[in-house]
Amino acid sequence: MVSVGSVQQLLTPAFTVDIQKVENNATRMIERCRALGVQLRPHMKTHKTLECADIMTGGSRRCIAVSTLAEARFYADHGFDDILYAYPLPFDKVDICMELAECLEMFHVLIDSEVALAELVKRRLKDGKSWLVWLKVDCNNGRAGVRPENPAAVTLANSIATFEGVELAGLYAHCGNSYHATGVQEIQAVAQETTTAILEFMERLEKAGVRCPRCSIGSTPTCSHPIADMARLNELHPGNYIFYDVQQMMIGSCQMDDIAVRVQTRVIGHYPHRNQLLVDCGWTALSLHSLGMLPTGYAIIDGHPDLKLVGMTQEHGRIEPASGKLDFDKFPLGSLISLIPYHACSAAAMHPVYYVHSEGRIVAEWRPTRGW
């Protein structure tokens, strides 16, 4: 059921998704993982919808990663299983994790401290089930996780593996430092560094007598350009690849034609005295993530490389030419302009519905889950 027939008819601002590009992006990632011989555990954080999750999992509704418990509950309520809550265990939400662990066949949690482990140990799951625990490893990303070279990391892994009521499910590393890369060579250098660090840590665990069945790394840049050694891993967990965005294009993860999403906006004002158009897309429809640092400002204006989104307030955007005089006749009041977002995840988070189209014809409306 769709409310409008075409992109041109949408009330703006609106978030649109090109279904063919989404399907192509999903197919390529599935094929990459198949060629490597590793399991794809797609991350849901970018889109947070049932429909896109089905595309990413090939309809299996199994083996996904989420960033919030709102996502975990949403997918569990709709028949998904083998869900990894890929976020350091929040102590205020352990009871919710417990509910999910008891109702699903496999619900995984992530920890990086003995204190977090203690929170799990003191909450025994019913029916003799064990907590499925992944150890978060920091391979130079600099966010969460234990450092793999730290002897305490082996101690923590051993504690997870030996304490009653918990089970060491695997090692999990995010290649977030790949977002500082420019080009395939730098992306693959990060992939190699992370893969090597995880595999060497796995070897240290084995020598210490700690059984760890799986290791998983992921980021859209590294999984878009995998290296041969990634075949020695068990899982990959990218997420943004399903939409891609300007940031990924600048890093080198994708081409412009791979970017599946746009924020549609309409011209609501002409201001010749300051050589600007006003549009109905402010930061509440696009986000401020690029900080306006792109050559084209806060986004790329599709089909108009000579224009720049120079500023946004809550509900307004200001567009002007990179140089010269603006031809206002090309952009009449009410006309549609498509913005290619810098970061698809943050732009998508601004919208309660995604309008899915095929060559401009609306074919579906996807409604993401929200909250934490």
Side-chain angles (χ1 to χ4, degrees):
M1 184 70 179
V2 296
S3 56
V4 295
S6 71
V7 170
Q8 286 290 332
Q9 296 173 309
L10 288 171
L11 299 179
T12 54
F15 189 81
T16 58
V17 178
D18 185 318
I19 188 61
Q20 190 60 60
K21 291 183 179 182
V22 161
E23 291 175 348
N24 290 344
N25 293 341
T27 297
R28 281 195 296 269
M29 192 61 72
I30 290 169
E31 290 175 348
R32 286 188 197 109
C33 290
R34 185 178 296 128
L36 287 167
V38 300
Q39 173 68 52
L40 172 63
R41 183 183 290 277
H43 209 306
M44 303 292 107
K45 70 183 185 67
T46 297
H47 59 88
K48 307 189 183 198
T49 67
L50 292 175
E51 296 88 347
C52 208
D54 277 334
I55 293 170
M56 294 172 87
T57 62
S60 72
R61 296 201 164 190
R62 292 293 182 273
C63 198
I64 62 172
V66 299
S67 59
T68 67
L69 285 175
E71 295 165 55
R73 283 174 150 174
F74 176 69
Y75 288 113
D77 288 346
H78 288 88
F80 284 74
D81 211 316
D82 191 358
I83 300 173
L84 169 56
Y85 178 32
Y87 193 84
L89 182 73
F91 293 180
D92 62 324
K93 300 180 178 71
V94 179
D95 288 341
I96 301 172
C97 292
M98 190 172 184
E99 292 172 11
L100 287 161
E102 290 177 340
C103 74
L104 293 173
E105 182 181 345
M106 288 190 288
F107 177 74
H108 313 256
V109 295
L110 192 73
I111 69 169
D112 63 3
S113 72
E114 295 278 1
V115 178
L117 177 59
E119 288 292 316
L120 299 176
V121 170
K122 69 185 182 184
R123 289 175 170 85
R124 298 295 297 272
L125 300 179
K126 65 183 180 182
D127 299 328
K129 291 186 75 172
S130 293
W131 287 99
L132 299 176
V133 181
W134 291 69
L135 179 59
K136 174 74 170 184
V137 183
D138 176 12
C139 300
N140 287 332
N141 179 36
R143 194 167 65 183
V146 295
R147 294 291 301 170
E149 71 276 9
N150 189 335
V154 175
T155 302
L156 178 55
N158 184 59
S159 296
I160 299 169
T162 56
F163 275 34
E164 189 174 356
V166 296
E167 177 183 326
L168 181 59
L171 305 179
Y172 184 101
H174 174 53
C175 313
N177 43 334
S178 63
Y179 282 78
H180 302 297
T182 302
V184 174
Q185 185 175 357
E186 291 185 13
I187 290 170
Q188 292 186 327
V190 173
Q192 186 67 66
E193 178 186 43
T194 307
T195 301
T196 299
I198 281 289
L199 291 174
E200 288 179 350
F201 186 40
M202 288 282 282
E203 290 175 5
R204 285 198 295 278
L205 292 180
E206 185 178 358
K207 288 178 181 177
V210 179
R211 182 183 176 276
C212 183
R214 281 173 290 181
C215 55
S216 177
I217 74 167
S219 73
T220 284
T222 55
C223 294
S224 296
H225 298 292
I227 57 168
D229 272 356
M230 287 164 70
R232 300 169 60 195
L233 304 169
N234 303 102
E235 293 187 1
L236 299 179
H237 51 257
N240 175 280
Y241 72 92
I242 197 63
F243 285 168
Y244 283 124
D245 51 34
V246 172
Q247 181 183 35
Q248 296 291 347
M249 182 187 70
M250 293 174 67
I251 292 168
S253 309
C254 68
Q255 302 297 315
M256 177 73 83
D257 286 346
D258 299 320
I259 304 174
V261 296
R262 303 288 188 273
V263 175
Q264 307 293 340
T265 184
R266 293 189 187 278
V267 178
I268 57 172
H270 287 172
Y271 300 93
H273 65 285
R274 62 173 190 258
N275 205 29
Q276 285 183 342
L277 299 172
L278 198 66
V279 295
D280 64 0
C281 174
W283 56 261
T284 54
L286 184 66
S287 92
L288 291 168
H289 195 166
S290 72
L291 302 177
M293 300 301 290
L294 297 172
T296 52
Y298 287 88
I300 289 178
I301 301 174
D302 201 7
H304 300 285
D306 55 326
L307 294 184
K308 184 174 184 177
L309 180 60
V310 295
M312 289 185 293
T313 53
Q314 184 169 327
E315 306 295 348
H316 303 80
R318 292 179 289 118
I319 293 176
E320 63 185 39
S323 62
K325 287 289 186 181
L326 183 60
D327 186 351
F328 289 92
D329 291 339
K330 290 182 178 179
F331 306 98
L333 294 179
S335 60
L336 199 66
I337 289 177
S338 295
L339 305 177
I340 309 176
Y342 175 75
H343 190 187
C345 305
S346 55
M350 302 292 174
H351 294 266
V353 59
Y354 309 157
Y355 295 94
V356 184
H357 71 93
S358 176
E359 297 181 344
R361 180 175 60 88
I362 304 297
V363 296
E365 294 177 9
W366 295 350
R367 286 173 170 76
T369 190
R370 289 288 180 251
W372 291 270

